[in-house]
Amino acid sequence: MSSDLFFIGIDGGGTKCRARLEDSNGKLLGEGISGPANIMRDCELAKASTLEAISIAINAANASVGVASSCECGDGHKAKSGASQATKRVATKGVGAISLSQCVVGAGVAGANIASAKQEFEAWSHPFHSMHVISDLHAACLGAHDGKEGAAIIIGTGSTGTLWKNNAFNDVGGHGFPIGDKASGAWLGLKAVQHTLLCLDGLEPMDSLATQICAALQSSDTDSIVSQCATFNTHHYAALVEHMLPLLYTKHARVLALFQEGAQYIERMAGKLLTEHSHGLAMIGGLSNVYSTYFSDSVKARLVACKTTPQEGAIYCAKAAYYQLKGEK
């Protein structure tokens, strides 16, 4: 393998995009984090977030060896209009010791399980040496089991699960918000807003959940709340979960019921993924520890700790694809 190549693993979800930069020997050189990277919901935003996270990782690597960096992508992650300009700035400027054209990117991004979204993202005229796209779920599963067989469930902004067995993935869920992603942060936030509107309409008694959501949205006016939610993306709804968790721990009836409903769904997903084999299940994402406490003993017995990160799983994919294209093993 060429020693002047670098490998980048992307873990792009509905809220954050993380990048990990390694040399060809697997040494960590730098990491970066940026905004949302769901290619089905907003492909241009995902491109900008990917570029920004990578530029941060490269700048960190250059700074660690005292190389001045000029890799930048400004605030292109904040709007579609900034994405093309961000691409231009990153692509046309050098980055000291490491250039984007030297980087083989494994992009594990949310929405890549949808063929049309994946095709659009793959059509991107990116500045990298090459880019290999898989879903964030598949990258997470490969990372969790260090490339070996096993199951994984991501439960964060969205929710989905997969089993890696016999060199193939078998997915459950992952159909996207709002028609899917049950039990996710986005789903919980939406349910909380719906409950709040019922309370404000006088169809349910006003309670501390509705009060918390009103405070988070800085309004108790239904028209104002509806107007805000008309502009919401998944990460906006998921951000409301932090206002629900204190009520969960004090066993607020409505909040507890929502989390129990979500846990039942995740339990069913786990049951399907764990049949007819003895592999472990890795739980990944901000809500994984919350939901795992509700699992049956049989599912808890199959839980395993993640061996590596989703970013490392994406690098595993990038290296495998690079070797295959080069005809190497």
Side-chain angles (χ1 to χ4, degrees):
M1 181 180 294
S2 176
S3 61
D4 62 353
L5 285 182
F6 300 87
F7 290 85
I8 293 177
I10 293 293
D11 175 30
T15 301
K16 296 182 179 67
C17 180
R18 295 180 173 86
R20 177 185 175 93
L21 169 65
E22 296 182 357
D23 65 16
S24 58
N25 295 315
K27 179 183 177 181
L28 173 63
L29 301 178
E31 296 179 293
I33 186 169
S34 62
N38 185 318
I39 65 174
M40 185 181 72
R41 301 199 69 85
D42 194 329
C43 193
E44 292 304 310
L45 176 60
K47 292 175 186 177
S49 294
T50 299
L51 281 167
E52 182 177 17
I54 289 173
S55 74
I56 293 170
I58 289 176
N59 287 344
N62 289 340
S64 69
V65 293
V67 176
S69 293
S70 56
C71 179
E72 56 177 304
C73 54
D75 59 357
H77 68 288
K78 294 182 181 178
K80 288 184 180 181
S81 60
S84 60
Q85 185 63 26
T87 303
K88 182 177 179 182
R89 285 200 295 267
V90 174
T92 57
K93 288 194 174 185
V95 288
I98 302 173
S99 69
L100 293 174
S101 62
Q102 292 175 281
C103 296
V104 178
V105 177
V109 287
N113 57 312
I114 306 301
S116 59
K118 183 178 180 182
Q119 289 169 2
E120 181 181 358
F121 193 66
E122 288 178 327
W124 176 21
S125 297
H126 60 75
F128 316 124
H129 174 279
S130 56
M131 183 176 70
H132 310 280
V133 182
I134 59 174
S135 74
D136 60 336
L137 170 64
H138 293 173
C141 187
L142 289 172
H145 300 287
D146 200 20
K148 298 179 175 60
E149 293 186 343
I153 292 176
I154 294 180
I155 180 70
T157 303
S159 68
T160 184
T162 195
L163 170 65
W164 172 242
K165 184 181 178 185
N166 298 327
N167 292 315
F169 288 104
N170 295 289
D171 298 348
V172 179
H175 307 304
F177 181 82
I179 62 173
D181 287 3
K182 187 168 183 177
S184 68
W187 178 84
L188 287 166
L190 175 61
K191 291 294 184 180
V193 171
Q194 290 173 339
H195 171 77
T196 300
L197 291 173
L198 288 174
C199 293
L200 293 175
D201 282 342
L203 300 175
E204 294 282 353
M206 197 70 181
D207 62 6
S208 52
L209 173 58
T211 300
Q212 285 275 31
I213 298 303
C214 286
L217 299 177
Q218 299 183 338
S219 178
S220 58
D221 177 75
T222 57
D223 286 350
S224 173
I225 291 173
V226 170
S227 294
Q228 286 187 62
C229 292
T231 67
F232 273 15
N233 210 322
T234 52
H235 59 281
H236 295 109
Y237 284 111
L240 297 176
V241 174
E242 67 177 279
H243 303 279
M244 302 172 67
L245 287 174
L247 298 176
L248 173 66
Y249 300 139
T250 57
K251 300 190 183 302
H252 182 282
R254 181 57 184 160
V255 175
L256 184 60
L258 284 173
F259 275 87
Q260 288 174 335
E261 182 182 350
Q264 290 169 4
Y265 171 75
I266 301 298
E267 170 93 15
R268 293 199 304 272
M269 182 186 291
K272 181 173 178 61
L273 293 172
L274 295 175
T275 58
E276 300 179 359
H277 64 85
S278 59
H279 301 308
L281 169 66
M283 294 291 296
I284 303 160
L287 291 170
S288 58
N289 290 333
V290 177
Y291 280 121
S292 61
T293 62
Y294 293 92
F295 287 164
S296 64
D297 290 340
S298 61
V299 171
K300 286 180 179 179
R302 303 284 293 276
L303 296 178
V304 296
C306 294
K307 290 183 170 63
T308 63
T309 65
Q311 300 94 294
E312 289 168 278
I315 289 177
Y316 175 93
C317 169
K319 287 186 173 181
Y322 177 82
Y323 276 121
Q324 186 176 16
L325 290 172
K326 295 288 289 183
E328 301 175 19
K329 295 184 178 179

